[in-house]
Structure formats: structure tokens, C-alpha cells
Amino acid sequence: MSFTTTVYFVFLLIGLVFYYLIPKNYRWTVLLVMSYIYYLSYRLKAVVFILFTTITVYLLGIMLERIQNGADAYLAQNKQVLSREEKKSYKNKIKHKKRIYLVIALLLNFGMLAAIKYSGFAISGANYILRAVGTQKQFSLFTIVAPIGISFFTFQAMSYIIDIYQGKYACEKNFFKFALFVSFFPQIMQGPIGRYNRLAPTLFEGNEYSLKNIQFGIQRIGWGIFKKLIMADRAGVFVNAAFADINQFHGMIRIIGLLMYSVQLYMDFSGGIDIVIGSAQMFGVRMDENFRQPYFSKSIGEFWRRWHITLGTWMKDYIFYPFSLSKWSNKAAKWGKKHLGDHLGKMLPICFANLLIFFIVGVWHGSEARYIVYGLYNGVIIALSNLLSPVYKKAFKVFHINSESRIWKGFQILRTFILINIGWVFDVSVSGMHSAINTLKMFIVNLDFAQVNTQTFAAIGLETRDFVIIGIGCIVVLIVSIIKEMGVNVREALALKPLPVRWTVYYAFFAAIIILSYVTDNSGFMYAAF
């Protein structure tokens, strides 16, 4: 039930009618039923996996809270009896017991995710090593079809169990409400990765009907469809052709294909998130934003704070901070300050934490070596930027560069965009690492402008009008992004315009979607496979 099909919008309409017709206290049950209908529409057997995550995390969350509540009651009752050392020993014992339950939750769910997504990669790697050492024995390959959105609902459930372990809020006692949190249908396919304390209240409280929520939701959905069907799917035709065969097209076509991939990936992913947030808003459910004009970033680090924001904050909260503030990191920082100086010593744990995060980001993207290289490419650039920041400051003084000038900021944005696109090479090279390396080599030694002609573009499958539509679409998105970057809420600003102006804009977008949508045989969302 893809977001861009008529079936989805009929499903959404029926759900909205039922949601606002029944009493407020039971409205969340409509969302739960819709979520499981939506999930089952993709693959019946896949429901086993989401139920496994829901049941294990729900039960372990309750166990963690019971252990903590029991410990708090015991300490309160024996406050006058226990010595300070006994209290400390008891607390450590409880913490150790809770940590065991947390580790069980993490191993069960991340273990399931790893077995489904990475077993083939691990077995292939083991077989490669066995062949390299001359052993004839080989492990048999097997494939498990990954259920839709498994990475997203796993990460969301794990944020919940870690927060319960840390005592940030009380666990959810109602199993079915927790099942809704894990499976909420708009976000199940590609996020955003929600946090329980922010998402749960708007899921469960039974929201009042609001015409503004309906209108703004439809607007957001329309904007997402515009980006997906008019631009992403059209650009994807060029991308698929340019990178399908490493011998067919040379460097310049690959560069154009890479720029098209930047268009496709952003319009596909952010367009899908727009539909997700718009769908949720019509039910009064508020979801976290996942994009904030990422191509305006002035550094790779800033780019990842603007792109897939909820994944970035998940990594920061549950991996970066625990790792960089760990005992090992403190020891590394002390050693670094003593032997390498204050700046390098301070940055050393941060750099290691960033490399770890981006290694995980690479693995999260897929079970191939090119994804790991893609993640580490970003991590190394961010680490070097942190390490070399004093050098940059000195260079600014020596060369009299005004770091606040528009020219310098424009240069930073262009530089970051180029670096991001170099990283995309590893992401888009479907034939593997060899294809990625070959593409990077072509950019230097084999640009071959002769292939840039109407015959090549026609062979790829796009007409001149398609390139014009992509170009105009990019200009429209750029203008909207600039307005948003200036701090203007576009939808609120549009709502204040006179009625004729508003409806002219609405009809223009509706007509553009009807007339200009590009329909392909494979128009699913790129991040649905995660």
C-alpha cells in the first residue's frame, strides 16, 4: 500500500472518518487497527517480526520498572538501617540486574535485525576468508526477506527500552498502546524515528477534530507527492541507467547521474517524510521533523544534523554521548592531553565516537563494503575537521578570510555539496565497491564530454521536457527552502494569504501533480527497504 497510490488515500479517508466518529478515549484503537492493516498489506508473514519486537520490549520494559520500583521501596523502608556503603552496594547490584535485562532486549532485537539484514554479508565474508586460506569448506548462503521498515521500528523500540532503563519516564502498561507506538502506520516504512515521551501523548490522548490539521496535513502530503512523483522518480530513471553498467557510460554522464541522484534521494526521502508527517497531522499526531534544508549545510557535520535528523539524534543520544563520556574515553582524553596537547587530547574521544557512529550508519545503510566505506568517509571528514580546527583559525588570520562573509559561506555550502556527492558515489554504485572506485577514477581520467548529447539522453529514457521539469521543480524546492531557511513557516504564511491566492497555489500544485507525475514500474520509496 504505497503512499502514492489511490488505495492508500482511500485507506486514510476511511481511517479519518472512523477516528473522529468514535469516542476520544478509544480513538487510538483506530490507529492501531490501521497500523496492522497497513503492515499486513505488504507481507503477511512479516508481522511475526514486529510482534517479536513489540512483545519482548514491552515485557522487558515492565521488568525494568518493577526492579527499579522494588529497589526504591526497599531503600525507602530501610533508609535508617542501611549504611552509606550498603546503599551504594545495593544500588550497584540493582543497576547490574537492570543492565542484564537491557542487554537481553538489545541482543534479541538488534540480533534479529542483524540476522535478517546482514547474515548473507557475514557468510560471504567468511567464505571469502576460507577460500583465501585454501580451505574447501564453504558455508551455505541463505536469505531472509527483510520485513518492511525493520530498522525503523527496531531503533524506535530500542530508544524506548534504553530510556526506561535510564528512568526517563514510566513504562507503558497497556500492551496495545505500546504496540501502536512501535507500529504507527505512517512512519513504519521510513521513519521518522519517534521518541516515546514525545510521540505517545499525541497517539493515545484522542485528538480533537481540527480543520487546520486536515488542511495542513493535505498540504504536506501534496508537497511530498510533488517531490516524489514529479522529481524523484523522473531523476531515478537517469540514475538507474547511468550506474547500471560500469562500462556503458563514462565520467561526465556519471557526474550528471550523481547530481540526479542528489535530486532523487532528497526528493524521495524527504517527500516520503512529508507524506508521513502530513498523514499523522490529519489525526492530530505530531511527529518529529526529519529534514532541515540539508543542502544548505556548510560542513559535513552540519549536513548530518539536517539530514535524517531523527537517526542522527538517536545516534548522538544512545551511542555518541555514552561512548564519549565513558571511562575509556576519559582515560583516552587524559592520555591525549598529556602526550598530544589539550586540543588533540580533547578531540580524540570525540573523533573515535564519530568514527564509531558513522561506521554504524554505514552498516545501517546496507550489508555491503561500499556502505561501510561510505559511512567511514563521512566520519573521517568530520574527525579531521575537529582535529584541524585550530589550523583553520590560523589560516583565516593569515589569509585575511572573513568567516562570516556571504562569499565564504557560499563557498562552504558548495564545498560541502561536492563532498556529499563524492560520498553518494558509494551509496549509488549498485554493482559494489569496484563500481564505486571505477566511477571515482572516471571523474579524473575519463570525463568524456562526447557522451553528453541528445542521443545518450534519449537512450537513457528521458526527453528534454523531463530535464526541464526536473530543473523547474528544483527551483521551486530551492525557493521554498530559502524561505524556510529565513525562518518563515511557509504553510502558516500561505494560510494568511487571501483566499484567491491560496487556492491558486493549491490548484497549481494539484494540476502539476496530475499532469507532470512520472509513473514507472518501480516507483516505491527508496528507504522502505530499511
Side-chain angles (χ1 to χ4, degrees), residues 20 34 76 97 118 172 203 223 428:
Y20 288 112
M34 290 182 71
K97 189 175 182 180
Y118 309 112
E172 176 55 60
L203 278 177
W223 182 234
V428 74

Side-chain angles (χ1 to χ4, degrees), residues 6-76:
T6 304
V7 175
Y8 176 74
F9 295 112
V10 172
F11 169 76
L12 200 61
L13 177 61
I14 293 171
L16 284 166
V17 171
F18 276 99
Y19 185 82
Y20 288 112
L21 279 179
I22 69 172
K24 285 180 62 177
N25 290 343
Y26 301 100
R27 286 178 180 172
W28 65 269
T29 62
V30 174
L31 298 179
L32 178 61
V33 172
M34 290 182 71
S35 297
Y36 271 83
I37 290 173
Y38 181 84
Y39 199 75
L40 289 168
S41 72
Y42 279 94
R43 192 163 170 262
L44 186 63
K45 294 179 180 179
V47 76
V48 172
F49 299 102
I50 196 168
L51 281 175
F52 177 83
T53 293
T54 303
I55 293 169
T56 56
V57 176
Y58 170 78
L59 293 175
L60 288 165
I62 287 178
M63 290 301 298
L64 284 172
E65 187 166 277
R66 284 181 180 174
I67 292 169
Q68 188 60 56
N69 288 343
D72 292 341
Y74 175 79
L75 289 171

